[in-house]
Amino acid sequence: MRQGVLSRYKQFLDITSNTPMIDMGEGSTPLVRSKFIERQLGCGELYFKLEGCNPTGSFKDRGMVMAVAKAIEGGSRAIICASTGNTSASAAAYGAYCGIKTIVLVPSGNVAKGKMAQALAYGAEVVVVEGTFDQSLEMVRNFSERNSIALVNSVNPHRLEGQKSAAFEIVDDLGDAPEYLFIPVGNAGNITAYWNGFVQYHEVEKSTIKPRMMGFQAEGAAPIVIGEPVLEPKTIASAIRIGNPASWQHAIKARDESGGSIGSVSDKEILEAYKMLSRREGVFGEPASAASVAGLIKMHSNGIDFSDSRIVCVITGSGLKDPDLASEQNDMPLHQLPLDMDAMNRALGSILE
Ligand code: AN7
């Protein structure tokens, strides 16, 4: 049986004899070699870390399993979060698995359909707030302090603890750290967690190098790039529509200590990468996830030479999360046919020539 994050990386996590070893099979996600973009850009080696293969379809499960275990260890009987969608789906799943009450706040109109469906399916209390993600996070921080209910957003340090396991897996799979890690940045928890993981593994000599951390925000939601909060963040990549990241300073530290950078990519660049990933690589990530690949393509066109480098792009969530956008962006023809072999031959015979 596949070991979940808590048992696989027990020795590197803050696990005590009282920590419940919750396990929904999270982590141990595939690291897949690129078939197309690697050659196209002339990268040494390019890999995709497929975090959409986690139980709820995003990387959030790695942190959620740890945060919920710690919440239960500390006596909490309820958890709460604000979310652009994936955190709420994950919290709702682990809440259901552990039999604890789960409350999720999501900004109105801005959450992808698949994620809302998950929160509802797992039976969470779903609160739609007329405001942004940043404002919803402010509200749950306040509410959780007053009501001794565990806050499971990435401001909870246990979330980042769990999420660093993805960095461990990359090193375990490659035998060393890559030269570059490309990753989308929203609330900036994940880039922080990865950096913590790479540093920790380097300290215990599991790797000889540490990667440059290359974070990418969406252009209309790029507070770290412009150096000030964005009050009304806008991007098609709803997961990273965040204007005032909670882990802002940690992300800057990760960037600077690693010799990396945090930049932005336009929605157009995100969508191009999104389609290239699914059509040329067979990797269906969500739009926010494609920001990592869009960032790589942008750095390459800015003249950075990756020919001697090993690169990992983190594909943070599954493309199935946002079915509306997938259909909208799909410009392949749909063939409508009667139940008739001749019609089928006429319609499809020519595409095989
Ligand atoms: C697919 O679910 O913030 O920089 O509330 O869902 O650690 O925030 C999601 C973020 C990247 C950004 N890719 O990670 C939420 C939420 C996907 C995401 C990010 C998110 P962070």
Side-chain angles (χ1 to χ4, degrees):
M1 199 175 82
R2 183 162 98 170
Q3 275 187 320
V5 161
L6 299 191
S7 33
R8 181 165 177 193
Y9 291 109
K10 195 167 187 247
Q11 62 187 122
F12 297 102
L13 300 171
D14 173 24
I15 285 171
T16 72
S17 55
N18 294 323
T19 312
M21 296 301 279
I22 302 165
D23 186 336
M24 292 221 297
E26 61 289 319
S28 304
T29 56
L31 188 68
V32 175
R33 182 98 180 243
S34 164
K35 294 287 271 185
F36 177 78
I37 301 173
E38 176 185 288
R39 247 183 308 139
Q40 189 83 355
L41 304 186
C43 305
E45 290 172 33
L46 173 61
Y47 297 88
F48 304 113
K49 179 72 169 157
L50 302 188
E51 290 293 281
C53 295
N54 277 295
T56 75
S58 88
F59 70 96
K60 303 285 180 180
D61 296 339
R62 298 176 178 277
M64 200 55 68
V65 69
M66 186 75 194
V68 171
K70 284 304 203 182
I72 293 171
E73 182 178 347
S76 293
R77 266 178 280 142
I79 55 175
I80 190 167
C81 66
S83 177
T84 58
N86 278 326
T87 300
S88 54
S90 185
Y94 284 85
Y97 183 69
C98 297
I100 57 175
K101 220 177 216 18
T102 305
I103 308 171
V104 305
L105 267 70
V106 295
S108 66
N110 283 337
V111 174
K113 224 177 231 164
K115 302 174 189 181
M116 275 302 266
Q118 286 180 290
L120 294 168
Y122 293 126
E125 298 288 334
V126 180
V127 183
V128 179
V129 179
E130 288 178 20
T132 62
F133 164 79
D134 304 281
Q135 292 164 326
S136 311
L137 180 57
E138 195 59 42
M139 276 173 70
V140 293
R141 282 178 112 153
N142 219 305
F143 187 85
S144 68
E145 272 165 30
R146 291 194 202 166
N147 293 281
S148 65
I149 158 171
L151 178 63
V152 295
N153 277 104
S154 59
V155 292
N156 177 333
H158 301 301
R159 276 278 310 279
L160 301 192
E161 270 282 289
Q163 280 173 216
K164 73 186 178 187
S165 60
F168 298 162
E169 287 174 16
I170 290 173
V171 176
D172 287 343
D173 282 351
L174 295 177
D176 204 341
E179 268 90 23
Y180 290 92
L181 186 95
F182 282 78
I183 184 168
V185 174
N187 217 18
N190 212 26
I191 189 171
T192 305
Y194 267 88
W195 180 238
N196 293 346
F198 285 121
V199 168
Q200 189 176 1
Y201 243 31
H202 188 255
E203 274 165 6
V204 298
E205 295 175 5
K206 291 267 194 182
S207 65
T208 65
I209 58 166
K210 287 175 282 187
R212 290 178 192 270
M213 303 297 286
M214 313 297 281
F216 282 87
Q217 302 195 293
E219 218 164 72
I224 300 179
V225 180
I226 63 173
E228 59 184 61
V230 176
L231 289 181
E232 285 182 39
K234 287 190 188 69
T235 167
I236 198 160
S238 59
I240 52 172
R241 195 180 283 160
I242 294 176
N244 191 11
S247 297
W248 189 320
Q249 293 313 320
H250 297 298
I252 296 224
K253 192 163 165 266
R255 177 195 70 189
D256 294 345
E257 284 180 6
S258 72
S261 70
I262 296 180
S264 64
V265 280
S266 67
D267 279 4
K268 186 165 172 277
E269 290 166 323
I270 289 175
L271 288 173
E272 276 165 14
Y274 169 77
K275 286 191 238 178
M276 192 186 288
L277 264 176
S278 47
R279 292 188 188 177
R280 303 286 194 156
E281 303 278 4
V283 170
F284 187 28
E286 66 173 285
S289 308
S292 62
V293 177
L296 171 65
I297 295 170
K298 186 172 177 176
M299 298 299 272
H300 175 264
S301 56
N302 285 349
I304 302 200
D305 176 13
F306 293 110
S307 59
D308 289 329
S309 304
R310 215 185 220 180
I311 301 164
V312 173
C313 288
V314 184
I315 308 301
T316 46
S318 162
L320 291 171
K321 295 276 191 172
D322 200 341
D324 291 331
L325 190 93
S327 327
E328 238 172 73
Q329 292 298 320
N330 172 19
D331 48 12
M332 294 292 283
L334 279 181
H335 302 280
Q336 295 265 4
L337 289 179
L339 194 56
D340 177 70
M341 252 347 267
D342 288 340
M344 172 127 176
N345 288 332
R346 276 198 303 276
L348 296 179
S350 63
I351 66 165
L352 299 175
E353 281 161 12

